[in-house]
Each structure stands twice: as structure tokens, then as C-alpha cells.
Amino acid sequence: MKMLSNLLLAALCCAPSLMAQQHDIPKPSGLDFALRMNGEKMLEAFDTVRANLQNASAVVYSQRMVVAYGVVVDSEGYVVTKASEVLNKPELSMRIDRQKYEKPQLVGVDDNWDIALYKLEASGLQLPKFKQQEPTLGSWVVSNGASTRLERKAKAGIISAQPRALDSGASRPALGISFDRNSPTIIEVVANSPAAKAGVQKGDVLLQVDDTPINKLQDLSPILSKAEVGQKIKVQLQRKQQKLELELSFARFSELFPDQQKAQPPSRNDQMSGKFNQRRDRFPRVLQHDTVLHAEDVGGPLLDLDGEVVGMNIARANRSESFALPIKQVLEVFQAIKAQPDKFRPKAETPQAAQPEPGKHEL
Amino acid sequence: MRPYSISSRQFLPALVAASLCALAQAEQPESDQAAAQPAESGSAKNAALPYAHKELPAALINTKSVPAGLEDLKQVQQQLQQSVQQGLKAVVGLQMGAGFGSGVIVSQDGLIMTAAHVTGGVGTEFDCVLPGGKKVRAVSLGLDSENDAALAKIITPGKYDFVEIEKQAVQVGDWVFSLGHSGGYDKQRGPGLRLGRVLSVKDHAICSDCRLIGGDSGGPQFNMQGRLIGIHSRVGMVLEDNVSVPMSSFERVWGQMLESQFIGKGPFAQQQPAFFGALSSECEQGLKIEKMAKDGAAQKAGLQVGDIITSLGGKPVKSKDEFSKLIAGMSAGAKVQLGILRADKALQVEVKLGTKPQAN
């Protein structure tokens, strides 16, 4: 969400939200389950496309659990998958069609795209067709659903937005100050942030931003919702008996916290979304679709109605958005890792990003 | 299971804006969508939705229980890709304070259909983001707080792309698609498209498997011909609980909404009680103003201490009781005509009613 700081948004979510009466939701009893978007009967129409999942996708197991899928990108046993869901998982194995492959070897990792390349002890695999042209808005797409030892099941959806780079969380504007939960009192100033450089100190109370008096934290929301990186604002602060006026400019959130992807408290939209992938942004380019994937359904191929691979599923982001990487870029990453695996060594395990302290809200 | 409302609206500062009657007169609509304006001779109560005139056959695919194979799927895809184009030109983002919802333009002069819990009140001015990112100003008209229907109007003059409204009721099993600014406006992404089927239909609710989320509220749902059939309202915890308000719910109160009425007692919006902002004493001719609240409605309208109020909205007032009762029936943002005596001269003053100031 571009228009206001995610953290502040979460704070506002604490306000009682509007809840409809239970009787306002009609029970979806009308249409037979089998006839719905991913109903059994409905999916029969996709059967010729589904059949291609047998050879195009690899089921990724950790111990005996399915943890992700992969795309078969080379007949000699190369498979790409979603790095952040697979690395560090114990006892990996993969299955293509009906054949199980133990101990896949990690070749390399491209953190930029969240792609890991594995090599299986296999040769002469049947390669799917790759379609480098990106599917247009409204095109049907098919992804991996549940798996049995024999069969890959399908899930269907449509391309639901424009392809684009996705760096939402990191590019939003931020000042580098944290407020108390209930009042505009500053309880933390991030070192080297625009706020710190301008001289803002812990304990200052924000009185006014430009011409807007700030009596409560919520008064800031309309200002933040319009903020852009580089924009300058004048703030009036109370410091003990003194009133100060300082000029600040918004920086990118990612510049303030370059080393860690901040663990965000779940937004209200997250709360209504079920399980989603931990890494669901910071991709150089994504296709968006409306398929109801599970967090474990990603990493596998995205097929169009011709049964050709147009993408690699990379994230279940929320209730209405799933993302795939365009296959053209996926194949480029595969070639790059295969050619120079030394350049794509996985990083040492990074410590968990710090959890935000409760009662603090940063912007 | 508790349903979530699906706007990103977190709170809404009560703003007071020009009443819509004044607005409708000031703007000369060039549109032939006459119903978007109160009818000249009659009252807006007779106004009907600007339904599409042409009868179209139901989408072919709706006659089958499921697509039979690739050919049928391609037909759905083709219809969707054709029909989504006009919708994309007419979906707007509504920036209500810090919150964000969606809406859809249904007349060339910028009438917007949206959800009551998005606008939250009558007469609020706000920024409306057009497709492509241009911002224009808009004002909320009336709303039905019981069924989550609302109208708004772009007040920046212009000719706007709009969608047609379907007169035929939707059927269970119909293919439908949704557009909305999920999670807020995102220029690179554009509005999110979702395809689904109608799962059930009730008097004031269409349930579909187009998966909606916060920010979609107020956004449009279309049939496969690209005609408007619903406005997104709410979701449940189950992924298949995605509820839109059907056109019939708008039709019931269309005229009243055009007249900027606040209909019903919630739960989708709560009426802000109107506040006049003056203390008075009864005298022979009417109510004599003794004191006025700073920046209250009375003071803003230019009333003075000593003015005597003789009538309100054409009705004579003699007692404080009568006055209070009349005000109690109005909502914040409404405009009323006051008859007053100032130094024995009879004057008419227009007062825009405000809201009771909140204690900090």
C-alpha cells in the first residue's frame, strides 16, 4: 500500500472496524461446489493443460511433506524453485511425473529473483514448451494444485493486473522516527535517517507538520498518505520547554534499513488472507494472477491455455493476489547460474529480522 | 464468522461540502444520461438508474453448467478481455482521508457508484483518482447505510468515461468479473481483475468467487458483456464469501441518494448528527441568538448575536423545542434556509450544518 506507512496503517487497524451483521453474508449455497472456479467439474475443462504439469513441474518434498514446486528447465535434470521456501529445509527430494529423485544438488541461488537452481540425477527429461511472450490481462493461467504420487492436480485463475517490478515495501517513503502507540511523542530516531540528520531527538513531541496541527497520531495519516520520497516537510516540535522548527525530507524505507527486511505486523488485508509466502515482494518483474494458491503451491510453472509455460509461481501474496516470474527472465537466471555457479553461492544463513517491539510504530 | 468490510478506510474526518442540489444546478450536464441528474420538472424521487438501453442476449457461456473444454474456456477469455476494457476506463480510487476505496463512473458528467462504508457520509469532498492517475475532486451524495450503497459525483468539470448498468438481474452460475484498487491505488499495477461465478443471490447481496480484499470496496462487478451488476461491499473469512450490492438495491433508493439523503441507521455508515452551533433564547418573534460556537455552522454562515431566527427551511419556529426537532432530522453537511430578523429587517441566510466539535 503506497499511500501510508504500513506500520501506521496497522496502528489504525486497532480502531474498531466496521463489521457487517452475520446475516448480511448470504451462505454460498446456491452454486454446486463442483461448478465453482476451482471446482472438480470446472477443472475438467483444463485437463489437457493439466497434463503438461506432469513433466513441466517438479514436486519438492522436505522429508515427506510437499513444501514447494519447481519448473523443469533442462532435460538433464535442472529444476528452478522458490529459494526462500526450499533452502535450509531438511531432506529434500523431488518428483517429476511419477519418478522420485533423492538428494537434489543445489547449484546456485539468485537472491534478487528468489530463485534456487537444483540439479537432479536425471537425463532425457521431457521439456515443456516455454512461451516468452507475457500473457495479457484476462488470460487463463494454470498452476500446480494438490499432488499425489501419480498425478499433478491443477488450479486455475486469470492474469489480473499489469506485469511490473514489485518493490512495494522497501520503496515507500519514511522519515526514520517511531512514535508512541497513542501520542505523537517520538520514542526512537533511526541513526543516519533524515530525522536524525535534521536533529530530531527521542522524547520530542510533534506539534505541527507544515500547516497541519498534530494533536493525535491519526492527524498524520493524510500527510503520510500523500508523502513521496524526496519530499520536504516542516515540522514543529516540543522539546521540554522549547519549541523547535526543523525541515525533514522523506527517504526510501529501504535506505533506512538496508540490511534487514523489517518484519511487519500483519495488515488488516493480511489478516483476511490466510497463509501467504514470507517473501512476497522485491521481485524485478512479476505477472499477477488471481489463482487461489497455498503458500506451498509456489515455485512451479504457470501455464497458459496452450499448455505452455509462461511463468514460475513465486508468491501467494494475499487473498486476491498471486505472483509469478515471467519465464523469459527465469530462463535467463537459470542460464546465468548454470554458466557461473560460483557467482551464485547461497549466502550464509541470515539471522531472523528483528521483530518490531510492541507498542512502537515507525514511519 | 465475522465479515470484513473491504475498504482501507480507517477513519474519516467529517468534512462539509457544497450540497448537491447547488452542484447539479451549477453544472450543465452534456450527457444524455438524464437520470444522473434530478429530473427538471419532477423530483429526483422519480429518477431511475441510467440502465443500458439495449437488450443483449445472455453470455453464451452462462447457458452451460461448466465450460466443456478449451474452446469454451477461450470464449470466456475472449469475452473477458473485450469487456474489461471499458471497465478499466471507468474504475476510480476514492481517497477518503487516510483510507482508500474504489468506485465506478456511470455517467459522462462523473456520477460515481460506490459503497456506503467508503463514503461514510453525505456531502464529504474528497480526491478521486482517475484511471492513469489524474486526481479530480468529488463529493459524496446520498447513501443507504443498511445495504451499503452510495453515490458520489465528480465536481471537477469534464467528460468522463463511464460504464453501462445492467437491467437484467444476475443468475446463480453467471460468469462475472471484478475490478478494484485492492490495497490502495497502484499506478504500475492498475486495478486488480478477478474472474468468478455468481454463487448465490439474495435481496441485497450477490455472492461470487471473485476474491475481494481491502481497497476493493465500492469497486465494480460486471457481467461478461461488461455491464455493471454489483458494487463490492464485504468479505467473510472464507475465500468464497465475496459480497457485492446488486443494482436493484441502488434502484430502490436512487432518487433519494441523488438528493443526498442519508438513508437508514447502519451498520455500513453512521449518521453524524447535525450541529447548528448557537445558543438562543425564545422571544416574541422567534429565537434570539445569544452566543455562537467558534467556527460553528451558525458563525460560518455569517449569523450575528442578536439575530432573531423566525423560520427554518420555510417552517416558522417559535420555540427552541421546535428548532431542535427540525435540526435533529437533518444530517451534517446539509444546507438549510433560515429566515431571520436583523435590526428589524427580514433576511434569508443559508446555513451549512456542521458536526458537533469533538473534545480533544
Side-chain angles (χ1 to χ4, degrees):
Chain A
M1 197 148 142
K2 291 263 160 73
M3 62 281 179
L4 79 151
S5 148
N6 284 354
L7 287 157
L8 189 65
L9 176 75
L12 294 172
C13 286
C14 302
S17 55
L18 186 139
M19 294 292 176
Q21 305 296 317
Q22 176 140 10
H23 67 258
D24 283 327
I25 297 260
K27 283 293 140 239
S29 53
L31 190 66
D32 193 311
F33 277 91
L35 309 181
R36 298 179 184 194
M37 269 299 272
N38 276 288
E40 212 177 311
K41 278 255 180 342
M42 175 72 79
L43 288 175
E44 284 174 14
F46 293 91
D47 206 53
T48 54
V49 180
R50 184 210 63 78
N52 289 7
L53 288 173
Q54 297 289 131
N55 290 308
S57 68
V59 190
V60 182
Y61 303 87
S62 169
Q63 290 159 338
R64 289 187 166 184
M65 301 288 290
V66 177
V67 291
Y69 290 86
V71 187
V72 179
V73 289
D74 185 287
S75 57
E76 298 306 298
Y78 285 97
V79 173
V80 288
T81 182
K82 181 172 171 67
S84 57
E85 291 292 332
V86 172
L87 296 179
N88 308 325
K89 291 249 162 74
E91 289 176 54
L92 288 182
S93 61
M94 295 193 188
R95 185 190 297 280
I96 299 168
D97 197 6
R98 295 176 180 186
Q99 181 67 45
K100 188 102 180 256
Y101 300 90
E102 302 294 338
K103 298 191 178 156
Q105 294 302 306
L106 180 64
V107 182
V109 175
D110 186 332
D111 187 55
N112 197 26
W113 291 88
D114 199 17
I115 291 176
L117 177 66
Y118 284 89
K119 172 80 172 71
L120 309 179
E121 284 298 325
S123 61
L125 295 177
Q126 191 185 324
L127 266 193
K129 279 190 180 153
F130 298 107
K131 190 178 279 175
Q132 305 229 339
Q133 192 188 350
E134 291 178 350
T136 52
L137 186 75
S139 302
W140 283 110
V141 283
V142 173
S143 305
N144 278 94
S147 281
T148 66
R149 270 171 52 225
L150 302 180
E151 268 214 339
R152 303 303 95 81
K153 296 214 167 110
K155 279 185 176 177
I158 54 154
I159 296 290
S160 58
Q162 298 305 324
R164 64 195 186 279
L166 208 67
D167 58 352
S168 53
S171 64
R172 64 197 162 81
L175 293 171
I177 46 183
S178 300
F179 288 102
D180 181 41
R181 182 183 282 277
N182 298 314
S183 72
T185 303
I186 294 165
I187 57 170
E188 194 187 335
V189 181
V190 176
N192 297 320
S193 65
K197 284 176 194 159
V200 178
Q201 293 180 10
K202 189 175 162 180
D204 292 350
V205 179
L206 187 57
L207 300 175
Q208 189 164 322
V209 175
D210 292 329
D211 297 326
T212 311
I214 308 295
N215 295 312
K216 48 191 185 307
L217 213 47
Q218 283 90 329
D219 295 339
L220 267 174
S221 311
I223 297 163
L224 295 174
S225 69
K226 291 179 188 143
E228 288 173 19
V229 172
Q231 184 190 328
K232 288 194 165 87
I233 53 167
K234 277 208 178 84
V235 297
Q236 215 182 80
L237 300 169
Q238 180 86 43
R239 182 176 298 164
K240 292 179 183 155
Q241 308 309 321
Q242 207 184 351
K243 271 189 187 171
L244 301 169
E245 200 166 293
L246 300 174
E247 193 177 76
L248 306 182
S249 61
F250 283 94
R252 271 177 209 283
F253 190 87
S254 56
E255 290 165 14
L256 300 186
F257 304 100
D259 297 330
Q260 53 180 349
Q261 176 70 6
K262 276 289 224 186
Q264 305 274 350
S267 72
R268 203 162 143 265
N269 273 355
D270 292 343
Q271 288 168 24
M272 61 174 97
S273 291
K275 197 179 165 199
F276 48 83
N277 292 108
Q278 197 122 49
R279 174 150 173 202
R280 52 178 173 165
D281 58 15
R282 295 176 294 130
F283 303 112
R285 190 168 180 83
V286 294
L287 309 170
Q288 184 179 322
H289 58 106
D290 69 348
T291 314
V292 182
L293 297 179
H294 292 140
E296 304 78 27
D297 289 342
V298 300
L302 187 73
L303 307 177
D304 67 1
L305 275 192
D306 296 330
E308 298 183 12
V309 180
V310 293
M312 163 185 166
N313 280 316
I314 198 67
R316 174 66 173 165
N318 60 45
R319 184 183 171 102
S320 64
E321 296 176 320
S322 294
F323 299 123
L325 306 176
I327 198 63
K328 178 170 185 276
Q329 282 80 355
V330 172
L331 293 174
E332 285 166 6
V333 170
F334 156 58
Q335 294 296 351
I337 301 176
K338 190 183 168 199
Q340 290 178 295
D342 288 347
K343 280 190 171 178
F344 295 91
R345 289 274 163 250
K347 281 184 202 152
E349 216 168 306
T350 47
Q352 284 288 307
Q355 293 290 326
E357 290 170 43
K360 273 174 36 175
H361 294 279
E362 296 171 13
L363 38 120
Chain B
M1 172 178 30
R2 292 193 305 177
Y4 288 90
S5 70
I6 48 171
S7 75
S8 325
R9 188 167 77 87
Q10 306 302 336
F11 74 99
L12 188 67
L15 298 174
V16 179
S19 98
L20 256 293
C21 305
L23 222 148
Q25 283 157 9
E27 285 199 34
Q28 290 302 314
E30 287 168 289
S31 156
D32 58 357
Q33 303 276 320
Q37 302 294 331
E40 196 132 328
S41 54
S43 90
K45 285 197 179 73
N46 301 324
L49 270 83
Y51 280 127
H53 298 301
K54 224 167 100 189
E55 292 288 328
L56 288 178
L60 216 51
I61 191 68
N62 286 342
T63 60
K64 300 190 180 181
S65 69
V66 284
L70 286 186
E71 283 316 304
D72 284 355
L73 290 173
K74 278 179 188 159
Q75 196 197 353
V76 174
Q77 181 173 304
Q78 197 185 352
Q79 281 181 340
L80 174 65
Q81 291 183 331
Q82 255 171 28
S83 296
V84 74
Q85 296 307 324
Q86 190 62 22
L88 287 172
K89 291 183 197 164
V91 188
V92 291
L94 310 187
Q95 182 108 49
M96 310 297 300
F100 202 95
S102 299
V104 62
I105 303 174
V106 294
S107 77
Q108 195 179 44
D109 59 332
L111 189 69
I112 294 169
M113 287 170 78
T114 183
H117 78 271
V118 171
T119 61
V122 169
T124 309
E125 245 189 84
F126 58 90
D127 277 336
C128 169
V129 191
L130 299 177
K134 190 184 158 196
K135 275 188 187 170
V136 291
R137 291 296 281 174
V139 63
S140 59
L141 308 187
L143 61 84
D144 181 347
S145 66
E146 290 174 13
N147 296 312
D148 209 11
L151 293 180
K153 175 82 172 62
I154 299 174
I155 47 183
T156 306
K159 285 186 178 179
Y160 301 97
D161 282 304
F162 63 98
V163 295
E164 294 198 314
I165 299 173
E166 181 58 83
K167 196 174 171 65
Q168 306 289 326
V170 293
Q171 306 290 327
V172 169
D174 280 0
W175 286 85
V176 290
F177 66 90
S178 285
L179 285 172
H181 294 290
S182 320
Y185 182 82
D186 180 334
K187 191 175 179 184
Q188 267 71 47
R189 178 195 62 189
L193 170 66
R194 266 85 14 112
L195 177 66
R197 304 189 77 178
V198 174
L199 305 183
S200 66
V201 181
K202 272 186 34 167
D203 277 353
H204 296 292
I206 300 167
C207 188
S208 79
D209 51 11
C210 295
R211 272 80 188 188
L212 306 175
I213 196 166
D216 282 323
S217 268
Q221 191 163 55
F222 299 96
N223 61 16
M224 295 308 280
Q225 282 103 356
R227 285 181 174 174
L228 189 64
I229 55 125
I231 294 293
H232 307 149
S233 170
R234 53 203 183 271
V235 300
M237 287 305 285
V238 176
L239 283 171
E240 296 190 320
D241 287 342
N242 305 281
V243 179
S244 297
V245 180
M247 294 298 103
S248 54
S249 302
F250 280 82
E251 181 175 41
R252 227 172 47 101
V253 289
W254 190 257
Q256 288 160 277
M257 290 200 296
L258 283 174
E259 286 180 337
S260 294
Q261 289 185 28
F262 190 108
I263 303 157
K265 295 198 185 322
F268 295 104
Q270 299 299 332
Q271 190 158 17
Q272 294 264 14
F275 189 66
F276 185 71
L279 289 176
S280 65
S281 61
E282 292 174 11
C283 67
E284 208 180 310
Q285 297 105 314
L287 300 178
K288 188 174 175 189
I289 296 179
E290 303 285 354
K291 209 177 163 186
M292 287 187 291
K294 190 169 173 280
D295 291 329
Q299 194 185 61
K300 278 187 186 164
L303 291 174
Q304 296 171 8
V305 170
D307 288 348
I308 298 170
I309 301 167
T310 57
S311 69
L312 179 98
K315 289 176 189 138
V317 278
K318 286 279 178 207
S319 71
K320 291 210 260 189
D321 227 32
E322 281 175 352
F323 187 82
S324 305
K325 272 185 190 157
L326 286 171
I327 292 283
M330 301 174 176
S331 60
K335 276 186 178 178
V336 287
Q337 291 291 327
L338 281 192
I340 63 162
L341 288 173
R342 179 177 295 165
D344 292 332
K345 246 193 194 159
L347 299 171
Q348 287 285 319
V349 179
E350 190 176 69
V351 179
K352 221 187 291 176
L353 296 174
T355 53
K356 196 167 186 170
Q358 304 278 319
N360 251 332

